[in-house]
Amino acid sequence: MDLFKVYKLWDIEPVRGKDTTLWDRDGNEYTDLYGGHAVISVGHCHPHYVEAVGEQLKKLGFYSNAVQNSLQKELAGRLGNICGYPDYSLFLCNSGAEANENAMKLASFHTGRDRILAISKAFHGRTSGAVAVTDNPAIRSPFNTTEHVDYVELNDEEQAEKALSSGRYAAVIIEGIQGVAGIFEPETSYMKALRELCDKNGTLLILDEIQSGYGRTGRFFAHQHNGIKADIITMAKGMANGFPIGAIIINPSIKPVYGMLGTTFGGNHLACAAALAVLDIIESEHLIENAEKVGNYFRDFFHRNGKLDPALKDYRGKGLMIGLEIKDGFAGLRDRLLFEKHFFTGAAGAKVIRLLPSLTVSMETAGRFTDAWTELTARSN
């Protein structure tokens, strides 16, 4: 049997990691500025994380949600306090797509409505409901349907008002910052308008913070830069540093009903131990502040002397969620960063390089990247 080949793979296999450094089978060293799609939030193999997961595995790895699990309650309390939503409730699942599925299902239960308003160029996952609100026909099979979904353009208040004034929508779902689309931010005025429109029309506001959350932008959630609160927030990627987990946090006005939501593996003992260790590290090492500091360094580097870097058409993002849209003459730059300078980065299409490093990334590492960037772009030009 072979693998079902749905991914394009580089001929590199990391076998060991430490913080933002990876080593392949041949002992070659790489710097990870992508974190496996923003998953590695506190660095590869952080000693506290390894110890916490290992110690939990010695005691109990799994039991179902038919019994009490004090680790879930501890995680709910800790997460509520650090993220600024202490009065919300927590539901644990296994992935970002599952979190979004449950968020939309919950909104429909609560409002009795059957439509969702989504944003053009969004990405919310690959399961059925998540695909339906993801504006990408290439990943939507004939089985998937969008009959309960409408789209509006990001930052178009007039479109949003026209749609929401119909009173038909259970929820609006929007990313704190669009990731897969190429790092596009909602404007603060737009987010405040959405909040007001949702309140006026009995619609819930779902913030997908799966990639943009967990401190990545210099706030715990990206929407907190906009001075609003969401009714339901989804998260996953950075939550447990690579251990599969997802979650939604829920406005206290939304009341649970037995059987409304459910999961087999969600919130298991190992997942909770991993998530608690991540919160320990984020707090003790002041990683949200570090994300803002290193993010500011990148922003300033790419806007030197009041001018955008000559290789760039645009710079987008906040903190350590960065999109570098390169000019036509610099095609292949991402591959050169990897194969010549040994920096892992991400992409959004052919022209946007994404930086999504661990929140532990140092100023020294950031400086080595910008030195490599300068050298490679000078040669390309």
Side-chain angles (χ1 to χ4, degrees), residues 350-379:
K351 294 185 179 180
V352 178
I353 294 172
R354 287 194 288 164
L355 303 182
L356 299 163
S358 164
L359 276 59
T360 61
V361 66
S362 67
M363 291 291 288
E364 184 273 333
T365 297
R368 286 194 295 104
F369 174 78
T370 54
D371 286 346
W373 178 277
T374 299
E375 180 185 336
L376 289 177
T377 56
R379 276 195 267 148

Side-chain angles (χ1 to χ4, degrees), residues 247-260:
I248 59 176
I249 59 173
I250 305 153
N251 189 308
S253 68
I254 303 171
K255 303 303 181 185
V257 174
Y258 176 77
M260 176 185 281

Side-chain angles (χ1 to χ4, degrees), residues 268-330:
N268 67 74
H269 296 73
L270 278 178
C272 287
L276 285 165
V278 166
L279 291 181
D280 289 342
I281 298 163
I282 285 175
E283 289 189 293
S284 65
E285 298 187 10
H286 307 288
L287 295 187
I288 298 176
E289 295 87 345
N290 188 63
E292 183 175 33
K293 180 180 74 172
V294 180
N296 287 343
Y297 167 80
F298 281 127
R299 181 198 62 204
D300 292 345
F301 170 81
F302 287 107
H303 294 89
R304 300 183 300 282
N305 302 316
K307 295 182 179 180
L308 188 62
D309 186 273
L312 293 184
K313 184 177 179 180
D314 197 12
Y315 176 98
R316 298 189 289 269
K318 280 186 169 71
L320 296 177
M321 188 173 184
I322 299 168
L324 306 172
E325 185 175 351
I326 58 175
K327 294 179 179 176
D328 291 341
F330 295 87

